[in-house]
Amino acid sequence: MIPATEADRPGIEAFLQARLHQAMFPLSNLADYGMAGGHEYAVRFWITRLASQITDVLTVTDGGMVMPLLPSRGFADAAIHLKGLNVTGMAGPKEDVRGLEACGLSDRSRSFDDNEPQFLLDLADMVVPDGPGQLVPLQAAPAKVIKSWLRDYDRNTLNASIAGLDAQVTQTYARYCANESHMVLMDGGTPLAMTGFNARLPEIVQLGGVYTPPDLRGHGHARRAVALHLAQVAAKGVTQATLFSASAAAARAYRALGFMRVGTWTLILFNGAT
């Protein structure tokens, strides 16, 4: 693999577009933050070419998140370029993440490590369930309640450490509001569920941060929130949605909306620096 330059960007984008549902993070980060650095979500690329065509792309953000798409399985070659970097985590198709992980990262301590089913939906096929509530922007819901949800999500879904969690939640809440990425299903003055996108492109969105508080689960609130959110972006030209399911119950809810499984996604969050 060789380091990519701005001149390689069209080829990288074409490679990633051909694997769109697997490449939402690299593509959206590239679109929003570019390759010049200076932001934790800015990206660097290493590429492999065969007969002038890009065959593999290794993406690393300034924040240390590694996102491999390595169809040629050149894991050892890709791992060389991670030496000396502050690798904070890995995200991508299971076969790519696990293959790269085995080349020098297997013994790293981690706070989170999971393989999750990935789903894809053509929005024209979506089923919108009936139920109470209407969507409102995140900042229109009670901030104290939403921050408690974010805290519970980070602590119990992502196994986040208690240390620094309040500051992390405050930053996440501010980012969601600034990006207008998340919404809340409200029944009058009562928040029922949260829905959001962690990556967006003109033709496809990736859901993330979907949450229902424990005492309101089992009533279809998250399913309705997701469907209403997707209906909004479908009206603006988005045609597909993808997501990863953290539980069997969530997977059942997404299938009820029309989502179909398309693979397995792996997310690893490491403790400390390399």
Side-chain angles (χ1 to χ4, degrees):
M1 305 195 85
I2 61 172
T5 69
E6 190 67 38
D8 299 307
R9 182 167 176 162
I12 292 170
E13 290 177 333
F15 173 90
L16 297 175
Q17 284 282 346
R19 299 156 179 81
L20 193 54
H21 71 275
Q22 296 178 324
M24 289 294 292
F25 285 130
L27 276 169
S28 60
N29 283 11
L30 176 60
D32 292 340
Y33 304 103
M35 298 172 60
H39 191 283
E40 65 174 322
Y41 296 139
V43 288
R44 285 182 283 174
F45 297 105
W46 286 263
I47 59 176
T48 299
R49 278 198 177 93
L50 180 63
S52 78
Q53 295 294 314
I54 293 177
T55 61
D56 301 86
V57 171
L58 175 67
T59 308
V60 183
T61 71
D62 276 18
M65 182 61 67
V66 176
M67 298 175 282
L69 281 171
L70 308 171
S72 299
R73 303 296 181 256
F75 303 126
D77 189 18
I80 292 171
H81 302 286
L82 301 182
K83 292 183 178 179
L85 298 183
N86 179 25
V87 176
T88 57
M90 303 176 71
K94 176 185 174 183
E95 57 272 20
D96 294 332
V97 171
R98 295 304 182 190
L100 187 56
E101 177 198 15
C103 296
L105 294 168
S106 298
D107 60 349
R108 288 282 308 279
S109 171
R110 57 205 66 199
S111 61
F112 186 85
D113 186 330
D114 198 19
N115 301 316
E116 299 179 350
Q118 182 173 11
F119 293 86
L120 186 66
L121 171 68
D122 288 330
L123 297 189
D125 299 329
M126 182 175 64
V127 178
V128 179
D130 292 329
Q134 299 296 323
L135 284 186
V136 302
L138 191 73
Q139 54 267 44
K144 184 176 181 180
V145 173
I146 302 307
K147 288 180 180 179
S148 73
W149 289 5
L150 293 173
R151 181 183 177 87
D152 183 62
Y153 182 89
D154 285 354
R155 186 75 184 110
N156 296 308
T157 302
L158 297 179
N159 297 326
S161 171
I162 289 292
L165 184 56
D166 288 340
Q168 179 178 313
V169 165
T170 297
Q171 291 174 358
T172 299
Y173 178 81
R175 185 174 75 252
Y176 286 176
C177 290
N179 292 344
E180 299 181 344
S181 58
H182 285 62
M183 303 192 77
V184 178
L185 184 69
M186 296 281 293
D187 185 13
T190 303
L192 302 178
M194 179 172 61
T195 173
F197 304 137
N198 58 26
R200 291 179 284 189
L201 293 168
E203 65 272 47
I204 184 172
V205 292
Q206 183 169 278
L207 286 143
V210 177
Y211 179 88
T212 306
D215 59 328
L216 292 176
R217 290 173 187 169
H219 300 287
H221 298 320
R223 182 176 17 173
R224 177 166 166 78
V226 165
L228 291 175
H229 203 185
L230 292 177
Q232 288 185 358
V233 295
K236 298 177 181 179
V238 174
T239 59
Q240 289 187 307
T242 188
L243 56 81
F244 322 110
S245 174
S247 69
R252 288 193 295 271
Y254 296 136
R255 285 193 175 97
L257 296 178
F259 280 90
M260 302 292 290
R261 185 170 181 176
V262 291
T264 302
W265 187 263
T266 296
L267 174 63
I268 301 173
L269 302 176
F270 292 118
N271 289 317
T274 56

